[in-house]
Amino acid sequence: MNTPEAFFVNSWNVYNKLVAHNYMFHREIYAAVERSLGDGPARPFALLDLGCGDASRLAPILKRLDLAAYRGVDLAGPALALAAENLRGLACPVDLRQGDMLEWLADDGERYDAVFSSFALHHLTAAKKQDFFRRCAERLRPGGRLLLIDVARDEGQDLPAYLDAYCGTMARDWTALEAGELDFAIGHVRSYDLPETLDGLLGMAEQAGFTEARRLGQYTWHHALSFGKPA
Ligand SMILES: C[S@@+](CC[C@H](N)C(=O)[O-])C[C@H]1O[C@@H](n2cnc3c(N)ncnc32)[C@H](O)[C@@H]1O
């Protein structure tokens, strides 16, 4: 299957392995996300998670927060089945939808206090990323926040240079993966990853009407960002 979600449908165990070894800095990044979400509104809040995958890293955090509702959207059906397991016990309504996040954003009639998206945006073209920011702003209540985790190119680094650098790091440091798993992961990155620079992402957010951009953490090319919609 030649699609961005194929890696996660066919090889969720590979993704789990690289998360378990913290190769994409999930540990530090999700600690920053928990601090940021814990800083949010005092009342229970509604969260939309775009490209939620199996929600395995977010679920334990959500269980410690005062959530009114959780909705997760992902292209990969098998990941959503795992998400349902991981989110079991959450003390709020949980709604999981299979589909494309941009299409979902266009059709969704709900309003949210927070939109969260982790390591999914970089698969979209620049035009679609801009659309993503615009539609997220539409879905958020006034004073709501977009929490974005994603990879970004260094300033001045073009896509081929980024891909060479990122895949070079994978080949050197992701030693827990079997050779076949590493080849598969590198093939996925080279085929589907289209990260912007950090300034590019900040500019898109500003153009979509977000006023308050915060950098929650950066670990090599892996960023955690928060964008506020004016109250
Ligand atoms: C790298 S995984 C991240 C999973 C989880 N959010 C995390 O941070 O561990 C990327 C996820 O985004 C999903 N995805 C990619 N493009 C998508 C799109 N256009 N719409 C919905 N989901 C998408 C994939 O199926 C996959 O589950």
Side-chain angles (χ1 to χ4, degrees):
M1 190 176 20
N2 191 23
T3 57
E5 78 275 24
F7 177 65
F8 304 99
V9 172
N10 299 330
S11 295
W12 200 257
N13 60 323
V14 178
Y15 184 65
N16 264 335
K17 211 165 164 178
L18 64 91
V19 173
H21 285 83
N22 205 33
Y23 293 147
M24 294 171 71
F25 302 94
H26 280 76
R27 206 177 300 139
E28 294 83 352
I29 284 176
Y30 275 71
V33 165
E34 179 161 14
R35 283 193 297 276
S36 177
L37 284 175
D39 243 7
R43 59 184 169 72
F45 63 97
L47 180 87
L48 173 65
D49 184 357
L50 297 168
C52 60
D54 66 3
S56 59
R57 270 63 202 180
L58 193 60
I61 294 174
L62 297 182
K63 288 174 186 169
R64 294 190 283 270
L65 294 172
D66 194 6
L67 215 59
Y70 171 90
R71 174 171 281 157
V73 179
D74 203 285
L75 282 169
L80 290 174
L82 295 169
E85 283 301 309
N86 289 325
L87 292 160
R88 199 182 293 276
L90 208 62
C92 72
V94 171
D95 182 36
L96 297 169
R97 301 295 179 112
Q98 184 171 5
D100 176 80
M101 56 188 181
L102 271 189
E103 289 173 17
W104 181 264
L105 281 167
D107 295 343
D108 192 359
E110 295 291 327
R111 286 284 184 280
Y112 302 90
D113 301 295
V115 177
F116 176 80
S117 186
S118 170
F119 293 125
L121 186 66
H122 62 274
H123 293 304
L124 303 186
T125 61
K128 288 187 170 180
K129 289 188 195 93
Q130 182 64 72
D131 210 27
F132 169 92
F133 279 102
R134 193 173 55 77
R135 291 185 189 281
C136 284
E138 285 170 4
R139 296 271 61 78
L140 281 167
R141 296 197 173 102
R145 278 187 299 160
L146 167 63
L147 278 177
L148 179 67
I149 295 173
D150 212 354
V151 282
R153 290 183 275 121
D154 295 331
E155 297 308 322
Q157 185 179 42
D158 64 14
L159 185 60
Y162 165 85
L163 291 173
D164 285 347
Y166 197 93
C167 293
T169 300
M170 291 169 78
R172 190 189 63 224
D173 295 345
W174 295 20
T175 51
L177 300 193
E178 312 281 337
E181 294 173 338
L182 184 65
D183 287 349
F184 191 49
I186 287 177
H188 172 83
V189 168
R190 287 205 176 274
S191 301
Y192 298 115
D193 285 14
L194 301 166
E196 304 301 319
T197 61
L198 180 60
D199 276 358
L201 291 174
L202 296 176
M204 287 178 183
E206 194 179 348
Q207 197 165 335
F210 287 102
T211 48
E212 191 194 317
R214 282 195 208 155
R215 299 176 62 170
L216 305 179
Q218 178 185 353
Y219 307 91
T220 68
W221 297 283
H222 310 79
H223 296 257
L225 304 165
S226 164
F227 301 101
K229 174 171 169 164

